[in-house]
Structures are given as C-alpha cells and as structure tokens.
Amino acid sequence: LWFLLESRRGPDYLFATSAALLLRTLGYPTRVCLGYYAAPEHFDPETDHTPVRVTDLHTWPEVQLRDGHWLVVEPTPGYGVLA
C-alpha cells in the first residue's frame, strides 16, 4: 500500500506485481513474467541486433484475452511495449 499510494517509486517487480494484483482484483486472468528488455535505443544497425545485458532483466504483467492470447501490460515508467 505504501508503494502504491505514497512512494510511487521502486524496481520494476513492484510495478509488475502491483498491476497484476489490481488486474486480478478486477477479474482479469493475469500472470507476472520475467525476462530481458531489449531496449530499442541499443539497437545496432550494423549487426542488426540489440545487445542484451544482465542489467536488462525485467518484470512485467500479462493479461489473458478471451481468445487465449496474452497481452503485455507495461506499468513500469521508462519502459515501452515492444513490437
């Protein structure tokens, strides 16, 4: 509660788990995922790759749609949903 109402700052896992809990409270099937964030600004056009480092570890929630697919939700400030 302190995180949501007062600090509003913290690591990505706090944003992800808080969003997942709120979505579940609203009745949406939700899961919390852990993986790496390939930041678009790190894309190297010469190699056609985006390097991913250990520091790019990221947590985000996903909501299950009626058709069974999972929709990425990105509540953490500074991160965008990648194509």
Side-chain angles (χ1 to χ4, degrees), residues 36-44 49-53 55-58 78-80 82:
Y36 289 93
Y37 182 77
E41 62 269 14
H42 295 150
F43 177 75
D44 183 356
H49 287 90
T50 303
V52 178
R53 296 169 279 224
T55 55
D56 294 327
L57 190 63
H58 186 54
Y79 289 87
L82 303 175

Side-chain angles (χ1 to χ4, degrees), residues 62-79:
E62 294 181 351
V63 175
Q64 190 173 31
L65 304 176
R66 289 186 180 145
D67 64 3
H69 289 92
W70 289 91
L71 176 69
V72 173
V73 178
E74 185 52 78
T76 306
Y79 289 87

Side-chain angles (χ1 to χ4, degrees), residues 7-62:
S7 77
R8 298 181 184 179
R9 295 172 187 234
D12 57 355
Y13 68 86
L14 287 179
F15 286 94
T17 55
S18 296
L21 287 171
L22 290 170
L23 288 163
R24 287 178 185 168
T25 300
L26 294 172
Y28 294 99
T30 308
R31 65 184 180 187
V32 176
C33 301
L34 177 68
Y36 289 93
Y37 182 77
E41 62 269 14
H42 295 150
F43 177 75
D44 183 356
E46 288 184 25
T47 62
D48 201 33
H49 287 90
T50 303
V52 178
R53 296 169 279 224
V54 173
T55 55
D56 294 327
L57 190 63
H58 186 54
T59 308
W60 67 93
E62 294 181 351

